[in-house]
């Protein structure tokens, strides 16, 4: 396969994603990390060495409705944006299959193991490798332009594609989300994050009228990117 084919495949797929409403698109080599994906049987991952990271931006004015708790309209919007990014992943998968290649779309909020609250893979890590952002203190994927307010899905494929590179940016001196988190879950060092404290607060929010699922949005609102 020629480099020109990889570039042409990339450009066509990116144009298709953008035409369907994607705000962000990037491609990562996942060959070295796919053994860690929670997909069974492992044989379905055979040859799927490219991870296409697709992002759809949340609406800024809806993010503004989040105060010290998620708003009802944010909860609704979050689900709709997940549906849109999942639909784009499906359409790209069909486009890939039409070209004679294989595709495995992984939806935005898909949970493989509810006990462990574990997805099939980390959209954030693939998004990072695909150049869509860096992992911030909040543990979220932070896009330099859109901050944390983006929902991501991934398509794994064997279609040869040009690869993107991770961005060379960090939180730097910013610690806005550390101060903003009502559960005090976010620490200066992302590896010290108190996931249990975050989960407990999400559970409490999920039980509020009109919310119904585990979301918060405060650290999403706080991070404006770099
Ligand atoms: S989702 Fe809410 S509770 Fe969890 S880290 Fe972000 S701000 Fe804190
Ligand atoms: S708000 Fe600041 S510290 Fe938190 S993730 Fe964003 S850039 Fe990093």
């Amino acid at each position: 396969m020629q480099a020109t084919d990889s570039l042409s495949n990339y450009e066509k797929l990116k144009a298709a994603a953008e035409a369907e409403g994607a705000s962000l698109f990037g491609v990562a080599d996942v060959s070295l990390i796919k053994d860690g994906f929670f997909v069974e049987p492992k044989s379905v991952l055979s040859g799927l060495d490219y991870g296409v990271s697709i992002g759809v931006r949340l609406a800024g004015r809806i993010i503004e409705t989040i105060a010290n708790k998620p708003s009802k309209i944010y909860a609704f919007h979050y689900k709709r944006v997940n549906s849109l990014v999942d639909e784009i992943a499906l359409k790209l998968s069909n486009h890939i299959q039409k070209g004679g290649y294989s595709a495995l779309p992984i939806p935005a909020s898909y949970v493989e193991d509810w006990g462990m609250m574990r997805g099939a893979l980390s959209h954030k890590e693939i998004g990072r490798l695909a150049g869509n952002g860096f992992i911030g203190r909040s543990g979220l994927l932070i896009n330099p332009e859109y901050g944390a307010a983006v929902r991501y899905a991934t398509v794994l494929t064997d279609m040869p594609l040009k690869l993107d590179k991770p961005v060379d940016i960090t939180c730097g001196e910013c610690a806005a989300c550390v101060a903003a988190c009502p559960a005090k879950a976010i620490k200066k060092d992302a590896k010290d994050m108190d996931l249990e404290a975050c989960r407990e607060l999400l559970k409490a929010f999920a039980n509020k009228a009109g919310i119904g699922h585990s979301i918060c949005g405060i650290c999403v609102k706080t991070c404006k990117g770099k």
Side-chain angles (χ1 to χ4, degrees):
M1 180 60 62
Q2 304 278 318
T4 46
D5 293 330
S6 302
L7 181 60
S8 148
N9 289 340
Y10 179 99
E11 284 171 348
K12 282 186 201 146
L13 212 56
K14 183 175 183 187
E18 288 174 348
E20 296 294 341
S23 320
L24 296 171
F25 177 95
V27 178
D29 175 356
V30 298
S31 59
L32 299 179
I33 59 169
K34 68 180 186 180
D35 277 352
F37 296 167
F38 299 101
V39 175
E40 295 293 344
K42 289 282 181 221
S43 56
V44 299
L45 295 172
S46 174
L48 305 186
D49 290 344
Y50 297 87
V52 181
S53 170
I54 307 145
V56 173
R57 200 181 168 193
L58 293 151
R61 292 296 172 108
I62 285 190
I63 296 292
E64 282 180 33
T65 66
I66 301 165
N68 57 353
K69 59 180 183 336
S71 62
K72 280 199 281 184
I73 195 164
Y74 173 61
F76 190 86
H77 180 65
Y78 181 93
K79 282 195 278 187
R80 288 296 302 121
V81 174
N82 278 350
S83 299
L84 175 58
V85 73
D86 291 349
E87 194 174 314
I88 298 170
L90 285 178
K91 286 184 174 172
L92 293 196
S93 297
N94 285 339
H95 185 88
I96 289 167
Q97 292 186 140
K98 214 168 156 188
Y101 296 98
S102 298
L104 176 60
I106 308 288
S109 282
Y110 175 67
V111 178
E112 176 74 23
D113 181 337
W114 279 101
M116 302 288 286
M117 284 299 289
R118 199 165 55 186
L121 48 71
S122 169
H123 296 296
K124 291 185 289 189
E125 180 56 10
I126 293 173
R128 185 189 74 77
L129 293 169
N132 279 337
F134 64 94
I135 304 296
R137 296 192 207 286
S138 58
L140 299 173
L141 182 63
I142 311 301
N143 177 260
E145 193 176 351
Y146 304 141
V150 180
R151 298 295 305 155
Y152 294 92
T154 302
V155 178
L156 301 174
T157 182
D158 55 1
M159 174 185 258
L161 293 165
K162 173 183 94 75
L163 297 172
D164 289 292
K165 290 191 180 72
V167 295
D168 189 17
I169 306 175
T170 65
C171 292
E173 293 305 306
C174 179
C177 58
V178 178
C181 173
K184 304 270 174 271
I186 307 174
K187 312 292 180 192
K188 203 104 199 260
D189 191 329
K191 73 174 169 14
D192 296 329
M193 185 157 176
D194 188 344
L195 290 172
E196 197 46 43
C198 172
R199 266 190 222 118
E200 283 305 308
L201 190 62
L202 296 196
K203 252 191 258 167
F205 286 151
N207 292 328
K208 298 232 177 278
I211 304 299
H213 60 283
S214 292
I215 54 162
C216 167
I218 294 170
C219 51
V220 171
K221 180 183 181 182
T222 306
C223 190
K224 310 284 185 220
K226 297 298 281 182

